[in-house]
Amino acid sequence: MPSDLLAERYGPLFYGEFSGARRLYACSLELVDELCDEERFVKNPTKPLARVRPLVGDGLFSAFHGEPNWQKARDVLLPGFGFTGVRGYHAAMLDINDRLVRKWDATVGKSPVDVSMDLQKLAMDTVGFALMGTQFDSFSYDGFAPIPESFLAASAALPPEGDPRVFERERARLYAFIDDLIEQHQNGVTASDDLVTLMLAPGPEGQPALDLQNTRNQILTILIAGQLTTSELMPMALFNLLRNPVVLHRIQAEVDAAFGTDDDRIPAFEEIGKLTYLRQAIDESLRLSPPAASFDRMALADTVIGGKYLIKEGEAVTVLVGALHRQPQWGDNVELFDPDRFAPEQVANRPTGLFKPFGTGIRSCIGRQFALHEAALALARVVHRYRFLDSGNYVLKMGDKTKRQPFGFQIELVRRTPAEREHNSRALPAQSALPSASADRPMAVAAGTAVAVLHGSNLGTCRALAKVFAEELTDLGCTTTVGPLDSFAATSPTAAVTVIVASSYNGQPTDDAREFLSWITESKGLDGSPLYAVFGVGDRNWVDTYQAVPRRVDERLSELGGQRLLPLAEADTSSDLAGAVEEFTAALTTALAERFGDASAPAPRETAEPLYSVRRVVGPVTSAIDARFDVVPMMVLENHELVSADNPLGQAKRHIRISLPEGIDYHTGDHLTVLADNPAELVQLVLDHFHIDPDLRLSINPRRKSSRLIALDREVTNRELLTHFVELRKPATPNQLRQLAASNPCPPERERLQRLADGTEASVLSPLECLVEFPACNITGEQAIELLEPMTPRHYSIASSSRLYPRTVGLVVSVLAEPARSGYGLFRGVASNYLANVQPGQHIRARVDQARQAFRSGADPSKNVILVSAGTGVAPFCGFLGDRFAAKQAGEPFAPALCFFGVRHPDVDYIFREQFEAADSEGIVSMRPAFSRAPQEGIRYVQDRIAASADEIWELIGDPDNDTHIYVCGDGAKMAPAVRQVFIDIYRSRTGASEQQSRDWLINEVTSDRYVEDVWAQ
Ligand SMILES: Cc1cc2nc3c(=O)[nH]c(=O)nc-3n(C[C@H](O)[C@H](O)[C@H](O)COP(=O)(O)OP(=O)(O)OC[C@H]3O[C@@H](n4cnc5c(N)ncnc54)[C@H](O)[C@@H]3O)c2cc1C
Ligand code: HEM
Ligand SMILES: Cc1cc2nc3c(=O)[nH]c(=O)nc-3n(C[C@H](O)[C@H](O)[C@H](O)COP(=O)(O)O)c2cc1C
């Protein structure tokens, strides 16, 4: 009997015995919510899952709770499954997709296709090619290709029941295949950014983070987890579409409208994400037939669930997902296939815990985005291309004892015609659930609809975005207020809608959002059910805590009774932030107009307005962009070289002192945010190359609202535009490449641009370099301006002590000048080169941004601190030590700091060496430098120096009475993770704790602000 029916008969909690194992099963929302509480329950594989360990060992899926390799592997693999990772796999997915389509085309009018078999091959080959760079070539075989055949045979022969000889033989074959794959990657035969490359990449110690056996385990895990699931989802979804022709028709209309009528249209990555109704249908399939039918939760201590059932420490409860997906909270007719259940407003009104096809918490599916993209792409292409005839009237089979599965599902295909698609796509507006497709949506909201836009921001990104959203909503007719989240702590929202724009810092809230977070954490409920929408700004470089705060806010507000106006939107600053902002703005204005709109009311801009408006244009040409970023002129007092540009070991470094204008103060540890100009030579190069008249005046008028807009309040010359307002060398985004491809009439150039856009690697060419490289691009001046991103400010740590120098700030700037990755001359970083060349007496445009309170407080002279930095990361610590010096001079108590500082060579870039050594002899600091190019006793990097000082460090951090705080500043990519690891190692070796417990200790240090990072990607 299927497990959902079993659960209906015996649920919500019952013992069952399948495959010889007696287990406790749960399925009601209330129990599952408790079981998903990560404080009380964790994943620990029960017997059926643990059975696969002889094949996949401690691979991610089957790792036991606390097994050290799990965290390591998750850290290594996660970037490969993020948005950028999946975008990179799109081209490989298309390749496999083409093979399927070619095979299916050949059957038309001749024989049915075996949907289950072919989509399983598609799933296998997609995982192989996209994630591992290997072609199984399954469509050339009648059965399975040799490697997929091997792992299916090994899985079927698992001990103890299976034949041990078969198992050993197949496993040995798989290991040989993997070892060969690894060798090919090591020798550069397979040069792709796939998961194997990620696993083999050397860590800070020069060795890959995962050992050989674990790498094999992960590859096998991904082969299994990555294909068994999607190969069930895809045929199941297609089966559901065939049984529901109205849904199929609506999906075809959506796909036809997106892809057009052309038979062989190759969809771009972004187009797949826009097929929202198809995604709803996939979700509905996952609801009715979740490929992972259950997952296990183990109690960490004796606990009671459902108010009466005792679960003993170590006891596991298995969540039956198919049954959870049929609970009464889903409404009537739970067996009905109805994708509208996943329309945004329905999702927003349902508890999130009701839908768990991808498991829960930290052990939830890593491949979710990959699977959803793969399935949407495959389904979109086949519904665009074929009509389906189920002449055999297929009926679902029982896969194992508890699951209905689409085994042996065969259908006949007929090719659709362009005329059919044309007709269909015209039918879309009346039928689509897409908000943007709704033709007669109101353009304005009832005047005065109150919207509060709240930000959680340290460095100003979210603050600036909050303003952008507010401007947009004001235009729509809303009355908007903008403010920090904390100003709304403890008050239930009173505005009609609250929009929250927030970021995270090592998983922690920004300083202006702390009270708000504590309040929502402790609050029992909100007044009424206020509407809200959260726009999360994060960076996937912080893999573990990506979007931690926005996610917490979004989830908690929902738990407290808030209603989501829109699902949580997540933007990655290291990817296409501007695109995400545009999408969110469009969704937000549509949702507001739909909810509060007054279709009969004229849009605000259409109301009778005076004939003229007069605007006084004052101040410098950069007034508008300066106002957008809150920067003001500040005078440079001094600019001198710390490290010469001629040194053979790295970048030049400069020390710059700047006078603060009246009314602007700072605190030691804060940042100076600088809006720079492009270098005159680069501007000239662009003017010359494109034969642009530098003095021609342009009047640039936005035709629509967008956060991408260049902030301008007057006419500018071409030279002014290129100097102050746009980024000239920022690499082109896939969208920009696609626009360039569309503008290019030359087929080979167009194809190369399209390949670059869909390629796995980020472009190294800027839009302007693309115009040089692809001269056939035919774009207008307007399009050229649109291609250039507006200039953005850069942040610098203040390297002075506010106690010693309250009116001047010091900066230490590393001057980025290296051969350009694009091959076009020297790449000079905009702001660092601008700062390198500013003269005393000249003004720069800048603002002071407060550092997080936790970081600022490191300057407190009486605090025991360990300071860790490399290169210019030492900047804020110059200020910290300055504050200690001031305290000593004033006769106040101070504790000497322990300062680890990584440089390349003592004679080249040990900046401020004299001052540090003087401070050392004054007892203010104990300096511990590490020289990577002149290692001493094997000590090369700062983490080596820390490891060598483990005793001293443990004396400071091992005794809680010392209340020692650790501050890390500088390179976030390599140094920060290596430093974290060395502290984990010290804790483990001194306490005897396990790796997991030591990691938990560090996490606790971070969350309690005793381990504070201020790091940046280089
Ligand atoms: C909180 C914080 C504090 C900071 N503090 C300091 C500080 O104290 N001192 C300091 O020097 N910096 C600091 N930075 C870094 C600083 O903000 C800038 O990122 C840095 O100066 C580079 O800016 P730029 O405008 O010169 O380069 P950009 O014009 O922004 O160019 C940098 C970009 O170009 C890419 N790039 C690099 N090399 C090449 C190449 N060869 N070819 C093509 N592309 C390339 C990089 O990947 C990067 O994306 C800090 C950053 C943050 C977030
Ligand atoms: C529709 C497709 C998929 C579904 C329904 C699905 C479902 C799940 C579920 C429920 C879990 C948690 C299991 C548990 O708690 O025991 C999980 C974990 C996992 N999935 Fe998926 N999955 C899918 C696709 C993929 C793909 C395509 C990959 C890789 C290419 C993948 C790789 C993994 C891995 C490695 C884990 C273990 C994660 C960990 O514990 O850290 N999955 N998946
Ligand atoms: C020290 C530091 C820590 C960060 N930690 C995280 C994090 O844990 N999760 C995340 O998604 N982004 C993280 N980021 C990226 C920020 O969220 C991103 O830079 C964002 O634009 C900051 O917004 P703000 O400028 O409004 O403060 C971090 C950035 C810095 C500089």
Side-chain angles (χ1 to χ4, degrees):
M1 186 188 289
S3 61
D4 44 273
L5 294 186
L6 274 171
E8 199 168 306
R9 184 176 292 177
Y10 303 110
L13 190 70
F14 63 98
Y15 280 103
E17 192 172 320
F18 307 99
S19 343
R22 184 168 188 269
R23 279 192 287 168
L24 186 55
Y25 292 93
C27 62
S28 71
L29 172 65
E30 295 71 22
L31 291 180
V32 174
D33 266 350
E34 287 196 63
L35 293 167
C36 291
D37 177 355
E38 298 270 305
E39 308 256 300
R40 293 159 66 201
F41 293 90
V42 290
K43 166 169 169 172
N44 213 22
T46 52
K47 203 170 157 198
L49 183 54
R51 227 186 120 229
V52 299
R53 283 192 58 112
L55 184 58
V56 289
D58 59 358
L60 278 184
F61 203 90
S62 46
F64 291 117
H65 173 63
E67 245 176 320
N69 275 340
W70 176 78
Q71 183 73 53
K72 267 195 207 162
R74 186 104 185 174
D75 288 349
V76 169
L77 290 171
L78 204 55
F81 284 106
F83 175 78
T84 321
V86 174
R87 178 160 47 190
Y89 306 135
H90 180 71
M93 288 188 185
L94 279 173
D95 179 298
I96 306 298
N97 227 274
D98 269 342
R99 293 166 192 245
L100 170 83
V101 165
R102 266 185 271 137
K103 178 172 181 201
W104 281 17
D105 276 358
T107 67
V108 172
K110 294 186 191 130
S111 54
V113 291
D114 186 336
V115 178
S116 326
M117 179 73 163
D118 284 345
L119 291 181
Q120 184 163 13
K121 289 181 175 182
L122 178 98
M124 284 172 168
D125 286 22
T126 302
V127 168
F129 191 41
L131 298 179
M132 295 162 197
T134 186
Q135 276 286 9
F136 296 139
D137 211 8
S138 294
F139 291 108
S140 309
Y141 295 81
D142 284 339
F144 289 109
I147 292 303
E149 181 75 60
S150 256
F151 74 69
L152 292 175
S155 311
L158 279 166
E161 292 89 2
D163 179 339
R165 279 166 313 167
V166 176
F167 179 75
E168 293 298 337
R169 185 187 66 217
E170 299 302 336
R171 190 174 61 174
R173 259 186 210 155
L174 290 168
Y175 280 174
F177 153 74
I178 292 170
D179 294 349
D180 192 41
L181 197 63
I182 292 176
E183 202 178 303
Q184 285 181 21
H185 278 74
Q186 279 165 339
N187 297 339
V189 179
T190 309
S192 62
D193 261 351
D194 56 24
L195 295 185
V196 184
T197 311
L198 275 184
M199 285 188 276
L200 297 178
E205 313 292 323
Q207 294 296 321
L210 309 181
D211 60 39
L212 172 65
Q213 186 52 45
N214 190 255
T215 304
R216 286 170 170 168
N217 291 344
Q218 303 304 349
I219 292 178
L220 286 175
T221 296
I222 286 156
L223 279 176
I224 295 173
Q227 64 83 25
L228 282 181
T229 42
T230 29
S231 64
E232 204 173 309
L233 166 65
M234 292 187 286
M236 201 64 225
L238 202 54
F239 171 83
N240 285 327
L241 299 191
L242 259 68
R243 286 288 169 276
N244 295 275
V246 175
V247 174
L248 173 60
H249 180 63
R250 200 164 142 187
I251 288 175
Q252 276 175 323
E254 183 179 63
V255 176
D256 292 345
F259 292 8
T261 56
D262 184 0
D263 247 10
D264 292 317
R265 170 66 199 283
I266 306 292
F269 174 80
E270 278 75 13
E271 284 172 326
I272 302 304
K274 290 185 180 144
L275 302 171
T276 49
Y277 187 66
L278 170 63
R279 252 308 295 281
Q280 287 176 215
I282 292 175
D283 280 348
E284 177 67 348
S285 246
L286 286 168
R287 179 186 73 84
L288 277 173
S289 321
S294 64
F295 56 86
D296 300 327
R297 307 292 293 163
M298 181 188 76
L300 285 169
D302 287 3
T303 184
V304 172
I305 60 171
K308 52 185 168 187
Y309 307 112
L310 173 67
I311 310 292
K312 292 270 208 204
E313 178 181 342
E315 190 177 355
V317 185
T318 298
V319 173
L320 285 173
V321 182
L324 172 71
H325 289 176
R326 288 170 168 80
Q327 290 300 299
Q329 291 87 342
W330 284 96
D332 290 338
N333 282 333
V334 282
E335 290 304 332
L336 190 78
F337 179 79
D338 176 11
D340 278 334
R341 288 183 215 276
F342 288 89
E345 58 283 3
Q346 294 222 31
V347 173
N349 288 326
R350 204 168 43 226
T352 45
L354 261 184
F355 187 53
K356 295 255 175 211
F358 293 101
T360 193
I362 53 168
R363 296 295 298 270
S364 64
C365 181
I366 197 172
R368 172 194 187 128
Q369 305 303 338
F370 181 92
L372 291 173
H373 188 77
E374 176 190 354
L377 173 63
L379 291 168
R381 276 204 93 192
V382 298
V383 301
H384 186 244
R385 202 170 179 86
Y386 308 109
R387 274 195 289 130
F388 309 101
L389 307 178
D390 179 15
S391 44
N393 201 11
Y394 176 75
V395 180
L396 283 179
K397 309 272 182 300
M398 284 299 287
D400 60 26
K401 286 182 195 150
T402 58
K403 245 175 143 183
R404 306 172 194 90
Q405 275 180 294
F407 288 136
F409 175 30
Q410 301 206 344
I411 44 176
E412 285 177 59
L413 303 174
V414 177
R415 289 284 291 274
R416 296 177 74 221
T417 62
E420 222 175 316
R421 295 187 190 108
E422 172 71 34
H423 177 77
N424 222 22
S425 60
R426 274 190 265 119
L428 181 68
Q431 298 182 344
S432 171
L434 289 173
S436 55
S438 147
D440 56 359
R441 71 178 165 84
M443 293 302 294
V445 299
T449 304
V451 179
V453 189
L454 308 181
H455 51 77
S457 182
N458 272 349
L459 290 175
T461 316
C462 297
R463 208 163 44 235
L465 284 176
K467 277 198 214 162
V468 170
F469 292 142
E471 278 169 22
E472 199 83 35
L473 299 181
T474 309
D475 278 2
L476 199 70
C478 304
T479 305
T480 51
T481 43
V482 180
L485 275 162
D486 277 355
S487 61
F488 282 73
T491 53
S492 268
T494 48
V497 176
T498 303
V499 178
I500 293 172
V501 194
S503 60
S504 332
Y505 282 76
N506 300 312
Q508 298 301 303
T510 49
D511 277 351
D512 59 355
R514 289 189 154 221
E515 286 174 29
F516 182 83
L517 261 288
S518 322
W519 171 64
I520 56 170
T521 308
E522 281 149 27
S523 173
K524 300 274 176 281
L526 301 171
D527 297 342
S529 322
L531 279 168
Y532 70 94
V534 180
F535 184 78
V537 179
D539 187 327
R540 281 187 201 278
N541 286 309
W542 279 268
V543 279
D544 286 342
T545 48
Y546 178 60
Q547 298 281 356
V549 168
R551 285 178 188 170
R552 211 178 318 152
V553 170
D554 181 64
E555 201 172 320
R556 190 67 193 137
L557 287 179
S558 162
E559 285 166 4
L560 293 174
Q563 279 184 77
R564 286 188 186 90
L565 179 70
L566 293 172
L568 168 68
E570 296 185 348
D572 180 357
T573 50
S574 60
S575 181
D576 188 10
L577 174 66
V581 170
E582 279 207 343
E583 254 174 49
F584 180 73
T585 312
L588 183 63
T589 48
T590 306
L592 279 167
E594 277 176 0
R595 219 172 245 266
F596 300 100
D598 178 357
S600 59
R605 43 187 160 271
E606 287 165 15
T607 54
E609 281 174 359
L611 217 43
Y612 298 105
S613 71
V614 175
R615 194 166 45 87
R616 291 173 59 216
V617 178
V618 288
V621 69
T622 55
S623 295
I625 190 170
D626 293 352
R628 174 177 293 179
F629 293 118
D630 280 336
V631 295
V632 296
M634 297 186 184
M635 196 172 71
V636 175
L637 299 174
E638 190 188 332
N639 184 349
H640 76 261
E641 186 176 85
L642 290 172
V643 178
S644 154
D646 300 330
N647 86 80
L649 292 184
Q651 291 169 359
K653 292 189 175 47
R654 315 273 316 176
H655 183 212
I656 301 163
R657 281 183 50 242
I658 294 152
S659 166
L660 290 179
E662 201 63 32
I664 297 187
D665 303 313
Y666 79 107
H667 184 286
T668 306
D670 285 350
H671 302 110
L672 193 77
T673 298
V674 178
L675 191 56
D677 291 339
N678 281 309
E681 323 80 74
L682 179 61
V683 172
Q684 192 58 48
L685 210 73
V686 173
L687 291 169
D688 291 347
H689 186 89
F690 295 102
H691 307 294
I692 301 171
D693 174 357
D695 300 319
L696 184 73
R697 298 190 75 76
L698 307 174
S699 169
I700 300 172
N701 299 306
R703 292 230 286 250
R704 58 188 168 91
K705 294 284 291 181
S706 163
S707 59
R708 278 178 211 262
L709 284 182
I710 301 168
L712 271 174
D713 61 1
R714 68 192 73 180
E715 284 181 11
V716 286
T717 64
N718 271 320
R719 189 188 296 282
E720 285 168 337
L721 179 72
L722 296 178
T723 303
H724 307 296
F725 296 95
V726 287
E727 298 276 349
L728 295 179
R729 296 206 76 167
K730 224 177 181 170
T733 63
N735 260 340
Q736 291 171 328
L737 292 166
R738 231 162 266 128
Q739 282 174 40
L740 286 165
S743 80
N744 196 313
C746 163
E749 283 195 10
R750 192 174 55 229
E751 206 180 301
R752 271 182 59 213
L753 275 164
Q754 191 64 47
R755 263 211 312 274
L756 276 180
D758 295 337
T760 48
E761 283 177 20
S763 162
V764 290
L765 294 170
S766 67
L768 291 176
E769 286 162 345
C770 287
L771 294 180
V772 178
E773 193 112 325
F774 303 95
C777 285
N778 187 7
I779 60 165
T780 60
E782 287 85 355
Q783 287 167 329
I785 296 173
E786 194 170 333
L787 279 175
L788 298 175
E789 297 263 333
M791 181 68 91
T792 44
R794 274 69 166 171
H795 309 290
Y796 293 89
S797 306
I798 293 178
S800 50
S801 148
S802 57
R803 287 190 62 171
L804 293 178
Y805 308 101
R807 303 303 316 145
T808 59
V809 293
L811 303 184
V812 182
V813 176
S814 191
V815 188
L816 174 55
E818 287 171 0
R821 290 175 200 143
S822 61
Y824 283 95
L826 205 60
F827 182 93
R828 291 188 186 280
V830 177
S832 57
N833 282 276
Y834 170 78
L835 287 171
N837 291 307
V838 289
Q839 300 299 317
Q842 198 179 327
H843 283 83
I844 61 168
R845 289 134 60 221
R847 64 166 193 256
V848 169
D849 275 318
Q850 290 187 3
R852 291 180 53 212
Q853 194 49 43
F855 193 76
R856 276 178 155 197
S857 65
D860 176 358
S862 61
K863 196 172 239 173
N864 280 319
V865 291
I866 298 174
L867 311 177
V868 184
S869 68
T872 46
V874 79
F877 301 147
C878 299
F880 283 23
L881 298 184
D883 277 12
R884 279 175 158 65
F885 182 73
K888 185 174 181 193
Q889 277 187 328
E892 294 168 11
F894 70 94
L898 183 56
C899 183
F900 294 90
F901 180 25
V903 298
R904 290 189 170 155
H905 197 284
D907 300 335
V908 178
D909 58 347
Y910 189 175
I911 55 177
F912 304 119
R913 179 176 185 169
E914 273 177 29
Q915 291 90 326
F916 282 135
E917 286 178 353
D920 194 322
S921 50
E922 292 226 20
I924 287 169
V925 65
S926 193
M927 286 304 290
R928 298 283 187 282
F931 307 112
S932 62
R933 302 295 167 88
Q936 295 165 335
E937 294 160 20
I939 292 172
R940 192 175 278 276
Y941 298 109
V942 78
Q943 62 269 26
D944 304 331
R945 174 65 74 195
I946 295 172
S949 312
D951 288 341
E952 201 175 357
I953 286 181
W954 188 245
E955 252 177 53
L956 278 167
I957 61 175
D959 180 355
D961 287 346
N962 286 333
D963 192 28
T964 302
H965 286 55
I966 301 165
Y967 298 87
V968 184
C969 189
D971 167 32
K974 290 210 174 98
M975 180 202 67
V979 170
R980 278 180 172 224
Q981 187 59 50
V982 73
F983 277 104
I984 289 173
D985 292 344
I986 292 177
Y987 180 84
R988 202 190 43 215
S989 67
R990 302 296 143 144
T991 59
S994 68
E995 171 79 12
Q996 190 55 45
Q997 286 163 333
S998 310
R999 279 177 186 277
D1000 291 345
W1001 164 79
L1002 187 75
I1003 290 168
N1004 190 36
E1005 294 293 286
V1006 171
T1007 42
S1008 58
D1009 287 337
R1010 278 195 303 276
Y1011 187 103
V1012 188
E1013 286 176 348
D1014 196 39
V1015 293
W1016 58 88
Q1018 300 279 22

